[in-house]
Amino acid sequence: MVKSVQEIQQAIEQLPETDRKRFHEWYTEYFNELWDKKIEEDSLAGRLDHLIDEAIQDHQAGRTTEL
């Protein structure tokens, strides 16, 4: 059982390149999913409302550009 971040780092460094790539893909996807869940939770809880309001105000004041 891995007990520390240092041990995880050492284990990753010892992986063959193909396994490091697979780990990187998994790690990226894992943290992207965590980020998406956090954003959704924050949005549902209203913690992002001030950002939405600010963006609307900027747009109404002409401080935005069309994509």
Side-chain angles (χ1 to χ4, degrees):
M1 181 90 183
V2 176
K3 298 179 183 176
S4 72
V5 172
Q6 184 177 11
E7 288 176 313
I8 294 169
Q9 289 171 330
Q10 290 171 347
I12 292 168
E13 289 170 354
Q14 294 175 16
L15 290 172
E17 183 177 352
T18 55
D19 287 341
R20 280 195 313 269
K21 287 179 181 180
R22 286 180 49 216
F23 172 77
H24 179 266
E25 290 169 3
W26 170 83
Y27 179 87
T28 300
E29 182 63 28
Y30 174 75
F31 278 95
N32 285 342
E33 288 176 15
L34 289 179
W35 175 259
D36 289 346
K37 287 177 186 176
K38 178 67 173 150
I39 291 294
E40 183 177 0
E41 290 170 5
D42 287 349
S43 179
L44 292 172
R47 290 188 286 268
L48 303 177
D49 290 353
H50 70 284
L51 296 173
I52 295 167
D53 294 340
E54 185 179 328
I56 290 170
Q57 290 172 4
D58 284 345
H59 182 68
Q60 290 172 341
R63 292 187 296 264
T64 60
T65 57
E66 199 171 320
L67 294 176

